[in-house]
Structure formats: C-alpha cells, structure tokens
Amino acid sequence: MKSRFLKGLSGALALLSLAACLAAPVLYFLGRITEASYKTAFLVASIGYFVFAVGRGFVRTAPET
Amino acid sequence: MATPWTRLTAAMDRLYEFDREPVTPDKLQSGGKFAGLFAGEHVAATEFVIGAFFVLHGVGARDLIFGLLFGNLLAVLSWTFVCAPIAVRTRLTLYWYLKKIAGPGVTFIYNIANALLYCILAGAMISVAATAVGLLFGIPIPQLGTVLPPNLGWIAIVIVLGAAFTTMAILGFSKLSRFAAIASPWIFFVFIAGAVAVLPRLGVRPDLGNLWDVATTKIWNGVAIAGQEKLGFWHVLFFAWFCNLAMHIGLSDMALFRYAKRWTYGLFTAFGVYPGHMLAWMASGVMVAAIGREMHPGLMAFEAAGLAGVAGVLLAGWTTANPTLYRAGLALQTVTPNWPRWKITLIAGIVTTVLACFPIFFLKLLDYVAIYGLVLMPIGAVVFAEHWIFPRLGLEQYRAEKRGWTFNGAALAAWLGTLAVAFVLPIHLYFRWLPCWFIAVAAYTGLMAVRRRSA
C-alpha cells in the first residue's frame, strides 16, 4: 500500500485508540461506566491501537516527485 | 605466531566492526530523536515489580515522591555530566574506548560479566511474564522468599515462555524491536489505566478529595510487610539513581550518546526515567495495594485492567527480554566467535530460561539491580579517570593501546579491588556504589601513576 493519507489516517486512529485506553479507566473511576465495560473498552481500544499502529508500518508513502 | 588471545581479540573485534570508527558528523541525530528513544526505553516488565516492592518495603508516600523526584534527577544528571560528554568527545562505544584503555583482555572479561548479568535480567523479565500466564492456567506463583523453582507448573510455563522469547529473538530481532517501539507507549498506558481503575477499590472518591489520605494510609503507609526490610527516602533516592548505573556511570550508553550533537542531550533521558521510573513505579504500587500487597504482577494487572492487563505484563516481558537476550548473545559471542548468531542467542536463551525458573531473581529484583550496577560501575570509573583525570595529572593516556597490553593490570585490579571493598563495606547495599566509585577512580589513577614511575 502506498498512501500518505492512509499512513496519516492509521496514525491518527492509533492515537485515538490510545486516548480511548486512557479515557476508559477515567470514566470508570468517575462512575460513568461499570468495571466490566471499562475492561472491555480497554481491551478493544488496545486491540485497535495495535492494529492501526502496526498497520501504519505496512503503509508506504509514495516518493516525493 | 598468533596466540589464542590475539585470535580471540581479532574475532571479538570483527563482531563489533560495524561501530569501530568514531561516528561521523553526518550521522549525528537530533534532540527529538533522543527524546523519542528514551521515552520508549524505560517501561519494562520489571517496573511492575519494582514499584510494588516499594509498597511491600513500607516506603512512605512523601519519601517515595521526593525520593523518585531527586533520584531520577541525579540519574539524568549522571547521563548528562558523566556519560554524554565522554561519548560526544570520543564518538566511540564503551567497547572500543575500553579496549584502548584497559586492553582486549579486560574488555573480554567485561563482556562476559555483562552477558551473564543480562541473562539474569532477561530471566527476571521472563519470570514476571510467567506470573501472567500462570494466572490464566491457575498455577500458583512463588511466594516472597522462594529461592528454588516452586512447582512443575511454574517450570513448565517458564520453559515455554523462555523457548518462545528465544525463538523470536533468533528469528527476527529487528522486526521485534520495531514492534517493541509500538508496544512501549501502550504498556505505559496499562500502568496508568490500571492505577486509575483500582482507585475506587482503595476508597478514593471521584472528586479526589481523599487521594492523599488513601495514598498515605492504604498504599505507601510506611509499614513493611512481614519479612521485608523497611526502606525510606534515601533508599528510594539511591535506587532511582542507580537502577541504570551501568548505563550512565558505567558508561554503556556511550553507544547511544556518540550520536548526540551535544553532551546536553543527556537531559533527554528525563523523557524516559520520569514516566518509567516514577509514574510507572507509582502506578504499580497503587495496583499492588489494591490486591492486598501480594507480589503477583499477573494478578495485579488482571485485577486492574482485565485481559489487556495480562497481555501488558506478557508484552512488557517479551519486548524487554528480547533486546536483553540479543545483547547477552552479542556479548557471549566473543567467547565463541565462529558460531553463528542464532546458536549463541540459543545458548543465551537456554541460560536465561534456566535462571528464570529460580524465582529469587525477580523476588529479589531490587537487590539484583543494585548488584548489577555495582559490578559494572568500576569499569565506568576507570574510563572516567583515564579520560578526565589523566590529562590533568600529566599521566599518559591509552597506554594499553600504545604498548599493546592484553591486560591493563591496573584496570583489572581497580575493578576487582573495588568489588572486594564493596563486598565488605558496612553500609546498605544501595549506598555502596557511590564511595566505591571514588575508590575505583582513586585506585586506578594511583596504580597507573605508580606504574609510570616504575616503568
């Protein structure tokens, strides 16, 4: 895959997933979600982070012309 | 005719050939690169254990915070004022610079000592990861004070993990290093998320009004658990300072700083030590308090962050044991220079796995970290003396290189003599390295000065 856009998108989604990893325990601490929901959200966000961060490594940007 | 030593030296040099020449100006790296590198370097599996041990050792909250603040500051300053300036002036790795100073024989012994210490460290990381896997299979993990392998289940898990980590280190070190760089920020988030999530269990209210109260009474309450020594401010300060002793005072991070444009890049280590050796340690302390002060990293992470927490412990063990195994293999390769890399990594992996079966290495991790730094520190002192003190005293530098010495006896004597003094010094293990550093500097300088007169 060669796309600057895809690389940027994967990077942004990885960062968003990481932010979700932090948001989940904070929401649980504030009593907005249950412990089970927090743990599920943290797991899903973690998987998302690895998918997007590793995927970003596979995206090759087109050479500058 | 070539002697066994000259053959060994030539073979050893070939292994490090790629970094033989000083770094050229076009290869120097920006400050941002250094900040990024250090930010990802200091969050390892062992942080799950170290921070928890501070709680078990009865460190008070105030002692912990100020001890870590100042101890990490001293570590950053050690990188900045001791390690980075020598690296920037020489643009060499410790291996090549030590060879000029102490001769190939001492460098060889240093490499072997380093390899064995790396194996023990990687073994501790495998043990920590084994607590996470043991939890999934219901296998009891070793209790504090256990020295020998506690049960067959533990041995089986350690062997499986050791085999897996070693195989991956053999198959793809560089790819795994890239994966480790990706995993590193997430592992840090596991610590932070875990700590935040267990706060309600410890009784912290959402408005944080009683946070300090809970911290001082339920987490770092100043009471050591049975069988654990009470530690205080100075212990924490010295621990934070020396936990990377081999890297800063011991100068092994010359390998990194030789790429720095300026010696002040040592300050960028703050991006690594404050998140990894302060926040992560505090987070693991919070987590261990929430599970009733039981030294069980796997359980701690599972209770705090669920399955992702268990994966965090496992990944932290894997990604940090991998480069450690690689470095151990590289150092051990000097003994068997004609062996392929895979074979020596396999040997390092087997040694590491056997060591990991003995839980004493992770259950006595704080003491081990102190010993690890102490053993390698005198070599840093020898290099420091030769680099900075010899020119000021008018002593000739690099005599080992100029005269073709295999062993610089003064360097070896200063190293071993310092370790002998450290062994009998009647102060706490954590504090021994500091007077011993001065002893090593003075001993080496004195011995070389006497040698000049007698020559």
Side-chain angles (χ1 to χ4, degrees):
Chain A
M1 280 191 290
K2 278 187 180 182
S3 166
R4 191 176 293 267
F5 171 74
L6 265 182
K7 200 174 180 83
L9 184 67
S10 315
L13 289 172
L15 281 177
L16 270 178
S17 305
L18 216 47
C21 284
L22 196 59
V26 172
L27 289 174
Y28 167 59
F29 172 66
L30 295 173
R32 305 281 173 84
I33 57 175
T34 64
E35 185 174 347
S37 306
Y38 143 65
K39 286 181 176 170
T40 307
F42 188 72
L43 183 63
V44 171
S46 301
I47 293 168
Y49 170 71
F50 280 103
V51 168
F52 294 124
V54 173
R56 187 174 177 270
F58 285 107
V59 181
R60 282 179 297 160
T61 47
E64 301 265 354
T65 53
Chain B
M1 204 176 81
T3 64
W5 265 116
T6 52
R7 279 200 300 274
L8 192 63
T9 304
M12 197 161 71
D13 288 353
R14 278 199 298 277
L15 291 174
Y16 293 88
E17 193 62 50
F18 63 95
D19 56 20
R20 181 175 205 145
E21 297 301 321
V23 170
T24 49
D26 59 306
K27 299 260 173 58
L28 300 184
Q29 303 291 323
S30 67
K33 284 256 172 67
F34 273 85
L37 175 75
F38 288 119
E41 216 190 26
H42 294 280
V43 186
T46 43
E47 322 314 352
F48 280 103
V49 179
I50 293 170
F53 261 126
F54 285 145
V55 172
L56 271 50
H57 280 289
V59 175
R62 210 177 293 270
D63 289 345
L64 182 88
I65 292 168
F66 286 107
L68 292 181
L69 269 177
F70 293 121
N72 282 313
L73 177 66
L74 288 167
V76 170
L77 295 178
S78 300
W79 264 300
T80 309
F81 290 105
V82 178
C83 183
I86 298 177
V88 166
R89 280 166 61 106
T90 61
R91 301 284 177 203
L92 289 171
T93 61
L94 178 62
Y95 173 83
W96 287 107
Y97 201 41
L98 183 61
K99 202 180 159 210
K100 283 158 77 84
I101 291 169
V106 176
T107 311
F108 173 79
I109 296 170
Y110 175 82
N111 262 10
I112 300 304
N114 214 354
L116 287 174
L117 292 166
Y118 274 137
C119 284
I120 296 175
L121 196 61
M125 287 166 185
I126 292 174
S127 301
V128 173
T131 65
V133 180
L135 184 75
L136 298 177
F137 292 98
I139 292 166
I141 75 140
Q143 298 301 303
L144 285 172
T146 310
V147 176
L148 300 173
N151 53 59
L152 283 175
W154 170 261
I155 295 173
I157 291 171
V158 168
I159 289 174
V160 168
L161 283 179
F165 289 5
T166 307
T167 307
M168 284 181 278
I170 290 170
L171 291 180
F173 170 74
S174 59
K175 276 184 187 153
L176 207 66
S177 297
R178 285 206 293 277
F179 180 73
I182 288 173
S184 178
W186 175 78
I187 292 168
F188 177 67
F189 274 55
V190 171
F191 280 97
I192 301 303
V196 171
V198 298
L199 288 178
R201 193 181 300 189
L202 289 164
V204 177
R205 291 193 304 266
D207 64 1
L208 298 175
N210 63 340
L211 179 63
W212 183 248
D213 205 34
V214 170
T216 51
T217 55
K218 293 186 177 170
I219 307 170
W220 302 285
N221 60 7
V223 181
I225 67 164
Q228 296 295 308
E229 177 193 13
K230 169 92 173 80
L231 300 181
F233 167 79
W234 289 106
H235 298 95
V236 175
L237 180 143
F238 266 78
F239 189 89
W241 190 5
F242 72 59
C243 78
N244 281 118
L245 194 66
M247 279 78 200
H248 46 69
I249 299 288
L251 299 179
S252 72
D253 268 353
M254 279 177 71
L256 299 177
F257 284 111
R258 69 199 169 115
Y259 291 101
K261 287 178 183 163
R262 285 182 289 280
W263 61 270
T264 48
Y265 281 19
L267 294 170
F268 286 115
T269 53
F271 286 96
V273 295
Y274 280 103
H277 296 174
M278 184 157 182
L279 294 179
W281 287 356
M282 291 175 77
S284 65
V286 175
M287 286 189 268
V288 81
I291 61 161
R293 296 165 182 256
E294 186 188 350
M295 180 45 76
H296 191 325
L299 179 66
M300 215 166 85
F302 179 71
E303 289 288 320
L307 283 175
V310 174
V313 176
L314 200 56
L315 269 185
W318 174 29
T319 54
T320 47
N322 181 57
T324 313
L325 269 176
Y326 174 80
R327 286 187 197 123
L330 193 66
L332 278 177
Q333 208 170 1
T334 57
V335 192
T336 53
N338 296 322
W339 286 25
R341 174 64 51 81
W342 71 265
K343 199 184 272 186
I344 200 68
T345 309
L346 179 66
I347 299 293
I350 291 170
V351 172
T352 300
T353 306
V354 170
L355 292 171
C357 290
F358 295 83
I360 185 170
F361 294 113
F362 101 89
L363 293 174
K364 283 279 179 194
L365 188 66
L366 302 194
D367 289 350
Y368 172 68
V369 170
I371 292 166
Y372 170 72
L374 193 59
V375 169
L376 300 180
M377 171 277 296
I379 286 296
V382 163
V383 173
F384 179 89
E386 179 114 358
H387 186 87
W388 293 114
I389 298 174
F390 280 25
R392 280 161 182 75
L393 295 180
L395 293 173
E396 185 186 359
Q397 287 176 293
Y398 318 129
R399 270 189 277 175
E401 184 187 47
K402 289 171 187 168
R403 290 170 177 68
W405 296 342
T406 303
F407 282 95
N408 179 344
L412 192 60
W415 184 11
L416 298 179
T418 302
L419 292 184
V421 172
F423 187 68
V424 295
L425 212 60
I427 52 174
H428 193 279
L429 174 66
Y430 293 5
F431 308 142
R432 287 183 201 178
W433 77 267
L434 188 56
C436 284
W437 185 82
F438 288 101
I439 290 168
V441 168
Y444 179 63
T445 309
L447 286 170
M448 288 300 274
V450 169
R451 197 168 189 174
R452 182 183 63 164
R453 285 199 198 96
S454 61

